[in-house]
Amino acid sequence: MKKLWYLVKLGIKALLRVVFAVISGGEECVVCGKKTFLYPVCRACRSSYLAIKEHDLFEGRCRICGKELLSTNETCFDCRAKPVVEHVDKMLPLFPYRIWNKELMFMWKSQEIRALSFFFAKILDGVLKKLDAKVIIPVPPRKGKLQQKGWDQIDELCNLLEYIYGYKILRILERSTVIQQKKLGREGRLEQIGKAYNVISPEKLQKSLKPFDGRLPKEVILLDDVCTTGATLESCSISLKEVGIETIIGITLFVVD
């Protein structure tokens, strides 16, 4: 019942958005400026600029941070100079965080255009199928965010991935600090590694593992919206490996490159 009511509420919001767009004559695609209705990016631009091809996931990426490479080296310049990621076994940031992608992120996260949750969930489903992924662990929001705002973008993505696409969501991480990562510079973010996130208490952990026969999965997807330095995924992965998870694939929608 909870699942159905959740989807109905989101569906109604998306429908109202379409109705308003039709009445007002539509809105402009953030990429090309053409008219669009449900999403702030038109169908043609979704196909051209926001489609994931299989080789995009496995070729031409830094073997450490997952960013697209500009040379034939296996690692990017940043990771050769000072690697941040050590405990994430593979990182897959999907899109560069620039131009219209920054606008889409702002619309989704700040303007709360939640129809984009369905859009991003569909993209992630395609990626997760290619990886044969089963279990997703979301990076948790800062303490109090769900109570203050009533929603969190990663929490909502995971709900849709669970309710619509059938993935198992394992919510076993919690945030130790209330500091917003976006307000920290690179060095401040790096200082948070190993401190900002931890696994929930043993009692809560056992309760969360009941749908998994009481056992931690060996391989998980660690999901977040934006990767800036990799510090968040690294911090989460340290805690996850300490409790026995063997393989962690970090996926983010966007990467600051």
Side-chain angles (χ1 to χ4, degrees):
M1 191 65 183
K2 178 183 175 183
K3 166 182 173 180
L4 178 61
W5 180 235
Y6 185 89
L7 293 175
V8 166
K9 286 194 295 183
L10 275 186
I12 289 173
K13 289 181 180 180
L15 179 60
L16 289 174
R17 176 176 171 79
V18 172
V19 171
F20 178 78
V22 170
I23 293 173
S24 61
E27 57 186 300
E28 291 185 352
C29 170
V30 296
V31 181
C32 69
K34 291 180 180 178
K35 292 293 183 182
T36 183
F37 294 95
L38 177 57
Y39 303 128
V41 55
C42 70
R43 184 186 297 273
C45 290
R46 294 200 301 269
S47 299
S48 298
Y49 302 110
L50 293 168
I52 301 291
K53 299 179 178 64
E54 188 163 353
H55 66 78
D56 293 336
L57 296 176
F58 305 108
E59 298 176 11
R61 290 175 175 268
C62 172
R63 64 178 178 80
I64 297 175
C65 72
K67 292 181 181 178
E68 291 185 12
L69 292 171
L70 301 176
S71 68
T72 56
N73 289 308
E74 290 186 354
T75 54
C76 67
F77 175 80
D78 288 338
C79 288
R80 291 198 301 274
K82 189 177 181 181
V84 173
V85 177
E86 297 180 10
H87 294 79
V88 188
D89 297 282
K90 186 175 184 62
M91 287 186 62
L92 290 173
L94 302 183
F95 305 109
Y97 187 57
R98 41 184 149 91
I99 317 176
W100 51 75
N101 288 336
K102 289 184 73 172
E103 183 68 15
L104 285 175
M105 184 66 179
F106 177 76
M107 289 178 167
W108 183 40
K109 189 174 180 177
S110 299
Q111 296 184 337
E112 298 189 17
I113 298 178
R114 292 169 69 176
L116 283 168
S117 299
F118 289 94
F119 173 55
F120 290 134
K122 185 176 181 180
I123 290 175
L124 282 168
D125 175 54
V127 172
L128 294 168
K129 282 178 178 174
K130 290 174 183 176
L131 296 172
D132 194 29
K134 300 293 189 300
V135 181
I136 301 168
I137 295 180
V139 171
R142 67 180 183 277
K143 292 181 178 180
K145 181 182 178 181
L146 284 171
Q147 289 75 20
Q148 292 168 5
K149 296 193 68 174
W151 83 297
D152 171 70
Q153 67 276 9
I154 294 301
D155 181 69
E156 183 153 285
L157 264 187
C158 286
N159 284 335
L160 294 178
L161 289 170
E162 179 181 15
Y163 296 160
I164 297 176
Y165 298 101
Y167 294 96
K168 293 181 178 179
I169 310 299
L170 187 55
R171 293 178 172 85
I172 60 171
L173 286 171
E174 61 183 7
R175 195 159 172 172
S176 307
T177 66
V178 294
I179 301 172
Q180 290 182 269
Q181 290 284 89
K182 66 182 180 181
K183 294 183 178 180
L184 297 175
R186 179 179 175 82
E187 292 305 315
R189 290 170 184 262
L190 298 183
E191 287 175 4
Q192 293 296 306
I193 292 177
K195 304 174 184 177
Y197 299 89
N198 55 264
V199 174
I200 56 180
S201 68
E203 295 78 14
K204 291 180 179 178
L205 179 60
Q206 286 303 312
K207 186 177 180 180
S208 297
L209 290 176
K210 284 184 178 179
F212 299 84
D213 298 323
R215 294 176 293 182
L216 282 165
K218 292 183 178 181
E219 179 177 307
V220 301
I221 300 294
L222 181 60
L223 181 63
D224 203 4
D225 51 5
V226 180
C227 175
T228 302
T229 62
T232 293
L233 295 182
E234 176 66 8
S235 189
C236 291
S237 296
I238 289 172
S239 295
L240 292 174
K241 290 209 166 178
E242 284 178 349
V243 296
I245 292 176
E246 297 176 6
T247 304
I248 299 170
I249 301 174
I251 294 182
T252 62
L253 290 169
F254 302 107
V255 60
V256 178
D257 54 2

